[in-house]
Amino acid sequence: MGLYLRKILDNKATVAVWQITESEQELIDLSSVPTDEMEEINLIRSESLRKQKLAVRALLNELFEEKVYLSHHDNGRPYLENTITNISITHTEKYVAVITHEEDDLGIDIESLARDFSAVEKKALTEDEIDDLDDDAEEKHEQLAIYWCAKEAIYKRMGQNRVDYSEQIEVEKFTPKGEGELEATFIHKDGHEEDFDLEYIFFDNHVLVWVVG
């Protein structure tokens, strides 16, 4: 399938999604992975995870005219070695997605709605967020998926270790729809608060959430 979605946001960030339908060899041919990184990918036992890593590379080749070199900081945060463009990456078994911006910090997360999100309520939500959950099982499931993706996106945006999702990230009440906006607050350990606007979309039984700025 290749490039599934490419969206240029009002703030000039780019969101792009790749649907993984290719074989592993086809992705290798599309991705132009450097030898040292290919050696690392070959050590991954899971074929699905190897394909996800390769699909990220294929997507970057699609987005950038010149070849870019992907690396990671010690905290796992990705960066491109030969461009100032900021990047965040996420993947599932069927899709990989990235968001890029020339200046602003950002974060993105995707999840399949086939996943069980019941643990999210206990380990990642504030008391107010739990109170805001819908009684309808299907709507609650979508809410939990959005909460998790939103908190993951903010976590990636902040680039900090040991963040307590239930204490440090608060998402304002929302009603799930096909696509929408979210408001959230990150509470630093010293009490300082930062407010963020996020966006989300549903597609093919997946939810994608991103934050810029």
Side-chain angles (χ1 to χ4, degrees):
M1 173 67 186
L3 187 64
Y4 180 87
L5 168 71
R6 184 172 185 173
K7 184 180 179 72
I8 309 297
L9 308 182
D10 291 341
N11 56 22
K12 306 304 182 183
T14 297
V15 174
V17 180
W18 183 284
Q19 185 179 23
I20 305 172
T21 58
E22 302 83 3
S23 68
E24 187 170 352
Q25 185 58 53
E26 287 172 331
L27 286 170
I28 290 172
D29 295 340
L30 288 168
S31 57
S32 304
V33 180
T35 302
D36 55 345
E37 187 177 342
M38 194 67 232
E39 290 175 353
E40 293 181 10
I41 292 175
N42 285 332
L43 294 175
I44 300 172
R45 292 186 177 183
S46 166
E47 179 185 0
S48 175
L49 187 53
R50 290 198 303 271
K51 289 172 69 174
Q52 291 170 44
K53 297 284 188 181
L54 291 167
V56 168
R57 276 294 188 176
L59 181 53
L60 293 180
N61 281 358
E62 184 77 27
L63 294 179
F64 291 90
E65 292 183 4
E66 298 182 1
K67 187 173 181 178
V68 292
Y69 294 89
L70 178 65
S71 191
H72 294 81
H73 296 290
D74 291 340
N75 63 2
R77 191 174 188 174
Y79 68 95
L80 300 173
E81 295 182 359
N82 58 323
T83 175
I84 60 171
T85 302
N86 293 322
I87 188 169
S88 184
I89 299 169
T90 183
H91 40 82
T92 65
E93 187 171 358
K94 289 184 62 176
Y95 292 96
V96 300
V98 303
I99 185 169
T100 61
H101 194 278
E102 294 298 320
E103 298 176 356
D104 292 342
D105 289 324
L106 31 71
I108 194 169
D109 194 64
I110 188 172
E111 293 289 349
S112 167
L113 293 179
R115 174 181 168 178
D116 180 1
F117 291 99
S118 57
V120 172
E121 180 176 355
K122 296 178 181 179
K123 73 176 185 179
L125 299 193
T126 67
E127 292 183 5
D128 286 342
E129 290 167 346
I130 293 173
D131 289 341
D132 290 338
L133 291 172
D134 200 276
D135 292 330
D136 178 76
E138 182 176 350
E139 180 124 341
K140 180 179 178 180
H141 182 73
E142 291 183 352
Q143 284 177 309
L144 290 173
I146 292 174
Y147 273 127
W148 180 251
C149 285
K151 295 194 179 203
E152 280 280 282
I154 291 176
Y155 170 74
K156 293 177 181 180
R157 153 64 179 83
M158 301 307 298
Q160 298 183 11
N161 295 321
R162 299 183 181 178
V163 172
D164 186 331
Y165 285 14
S166 65
E167 296 289 338
Q168 291 182 258
I169 305 175
E170 297 181 356
V171 180
E172 294 297 317
K173 186 177 181 178
F174 62 90
T175 301
K177 43 191 179 180
E179 59 183 278
E181 299 177 352
L182 305 166
E183 295 180 357
T185 301
F186 183 86
I187 305 163
H188 291 265
K189 292 178 181 177
D190 63 2
H192 174 65
E193 297 184 0
E194 286 188 64
D195 294 327
F196 294 100
D197 295 320
L198 303 91
E199 296 181 67
Y200 69 88
I201 57 172
F202 284 97
F203 62 91
D204 191 25
N205 207 39
H206 285 68
V207 60
L208 179 70
V209 181
W210 61 83
V211 59
V212 182

